[in-house]
Amino acid sequence: MAHIHEKIDFTVAIFIVHDEKVLLIHHRKLDKWLPLGGHIELDEDPEQAALREAKEESGIDVELLGERPPTTSPGTRALLAPRFLDIHRISDTHEHIGMIYWARPKSSTEAKCAVAEHHDIRWCASGDLDGLQPPMSGAVKWYCRKAIEEIRR
């Protein structure tokens, strides 16, 4: 895991939606239900990090959704805009700036649990979110429901 600074890191969160369900992991270390995601490594951009994290944590190849401006030219590559950004405290002295992406599977939807990192991985409908144990944070629930709603359209 790359740390760009002792006080702050950049991360990605990927809300993968298929058939009105979002793919979630029960994180082993944090004991929380979360989307797939992780730190942006020093040698990658946010898109590369999101694609890598989705594949590493689920075995699924995804298509990131969003708008890419037509501004790529020599020396500049336009990136897909994340759907949302946030900043969240990890400890008293460390924060993460999170780039939140929507995605859909490219083909297979059969998720494989990365057992070294997660207790479980599962596809959840909006109605399943309130029953997850341990309970999911309100913020993550909101993002899940927003992704399902927007990708359904």
Side-chain angles (χ1 to χ4, degrees), residues 1-123:
M1 154 181 22
H3 289 285
I4 61 166
H5 194 274
E6 64 200 29
K7 294 186 184 227
I8 201 156
D9 280 317
F10 289 92
T11 62
V12 292
I14 311 97
F15 289 83
I16 305 169
V17 175
H18 177 71
D19 285 342
E20 297 190 26
K21 293 181 179 178
V22 63
L23 188 60
L24 299 171
I25 53 96
H26 180 182
H27 196 281
R28 189 172 292 282
K29 181 178 173 187
L30 300 175
D31 194 29
K32 293 179 180 180
W33 284 96
L34 297 169
L36 284 69
H39 288 82
I40 299 172
E41 301 291 338
L42 295 173
D43 64 345
E44 63 189 359
D45 64 44
E47 285 182 39
Q48 292 167 328
L51 296 172
R52 175 185 53 76
E53 289 286 355
K55 183 70 170 182
E56 285 178 3
E57 295 190 357
S58 71
I60 295 175
D61 289 311
V62 300
E63 168 194 7
L64 298 177
L65 305 175
E67 186 174 2
R68 184 185 314 275
T71 57
T72 295
S73 62
T76 302
R77 184 168 65 86
L79 296 174
L80 283 174
R83 180 61 180 95
F84 292 100
L85 295 167
D86 77 2
I87 187 164
H88 49 278
R89 184 154 297 285
I90 300 302
S91 71
D92 289 342
T93 60
H94 192 74
E95 293 180 306
H96 285 171
I97 295 175
M99 298 177 197
I100 300 162
Y101 289 94
W102 292 172
R104 63 171 62 105
K106 281 187 171 180
S107 55
S108 172
T109 59
E110 188 174 332
K112 298 172 186 76
C113 186
V115 294
E117 296 182 42
H118 313 131
H119 292 295
D120 195 5
I121 188 168
R122 68 174 77 152
W123 291 99

